[in-house]
Amino acid sequence: MNLEITIEDLRWHEIEPLILRAVEATLDYRGVEKDNCEISFLCCDDARIAELNSEFREKPTPTNVLSWPTAELSSEIPGEIPSMPEMDFTGEIALGDVAISYDTCMQEAIEAGKNLEDHVTHLIVHGVLHLLGYDHIRDPDATLMEGVEVKILGKLGVDNPYNT
């Protein structure tokens, strides 16, 4: 797997093993050949993710995680499993890019009374699922995505993040 991790905010100094573990679990769950996958992660702060959110989503506010899939894999039928990613001419599966903000992740974990590592693991899984065509805009798609997240997180020993 070609996993490029850029750490802009040094508070993320221990995130690499979390990213690797969560990405592998997500790709394994989906049955994607991880040896051929390319994913880039940007580990940043709220100021940087707000810039990205403004530029790409026209929302000039911070958020926890953003994803930029290389290919459109989502199903046109609500609640249906997305298409599998395909190799390009080089034999690689370029999945896309993910950005994650330390400030928002920490704030959310504190407000929800969650362990930061578990919350970040959830958001990494969430971001990678977006690269794999999962979404939560339509209710059936959100139900599917949340169910997949819960299954992957369960395999990683992380409690269901949707139980409040």
Side-chain angles (χ1 to χ4, degrees):
M1 177 170 34
N2 182 2
L3 193 57
E4 180 182 320
I5 301 172
T6 302
I7 298 178
E8 284 187 358
D9 185 322
L10 296 180
R11 293 174 292 176
W12 283 122
H13 67 280
E14 295 182 8
I15 196 170
E16 290 187 36
L18 277 181
I19 291 174
L20 182 59
R21 188 169 171 254
V23 168
E24 285 184 349
T26 305
L27 297 177
D28 284 346
Y29 178 85
R30 189 65 180 101
V32 176
E33 179 53 53
K34 60 183 177 253
D35 291 342
N36 299 323
C37 288
E38 294 180 1
I39 302 175
S40 295
F41 273 85
L42 172 64
C43 306
C44 59
D45 61 13
D46 270 359
R48 179 73 166 118
I49 210 159
E51 289 174 15
L52 295 168
N53 206 18
S54 178
E55 181 178 347
F56 292 98
R57 296 178 64 222
E58 298 179 5
K59 295 181 180 184
T61 58
T63 189
N64 50 22
V65 67
L66 292 170
S67 298
W68 295 270
T70 300
E72 176 57 54
L73 301 172
S74 62
S75 173
E76 291 190 22
I77 300 169
E80 195 166 282
I81 296 171
S83 301
M84 288 292 283
E86 296 180 7
M87 287 184 190
D88 63 19
F89 69 95
T90 68
E92 296 290 327
I93 302 171
L95 291 177
D97 306 318
V98 177
I100 189 165
S101 171
Y102 187 89
D103 302 301
T104 298
C105 290
M106 177 60 88
Q107 180 183 346
E108 289 173 347
I110 290 169
E111 289 174 1
K114 294 181 179 180
N115 171 295
L116 179 62
E117 186 174 308
D118 288 352
H119 185 55
V120 169
T121 299
H122 173 214
L123 293 173
I124 294 166
V125 168
H126 184 88
V128 174
L129 285 174
H130 276 306
L131 300 183
L132 294 171
Y134 289 83
D135 210 332
H136 44 81
I137 295 171
R138 303 175 296 192
D139 287 344
D141 295 329
T143 300
L144 174 66
M145 185 173 187
E146 288 174 9
V148 170
E149 288 173 354
V150 169
K151 288 176 186 172
I152 294 167
L153 292 170
K155 291 181 181 201
L156 293 171
V158 176
D159 290 337
N160 181 340
Y162 300 104
N163 285 345
T164 53

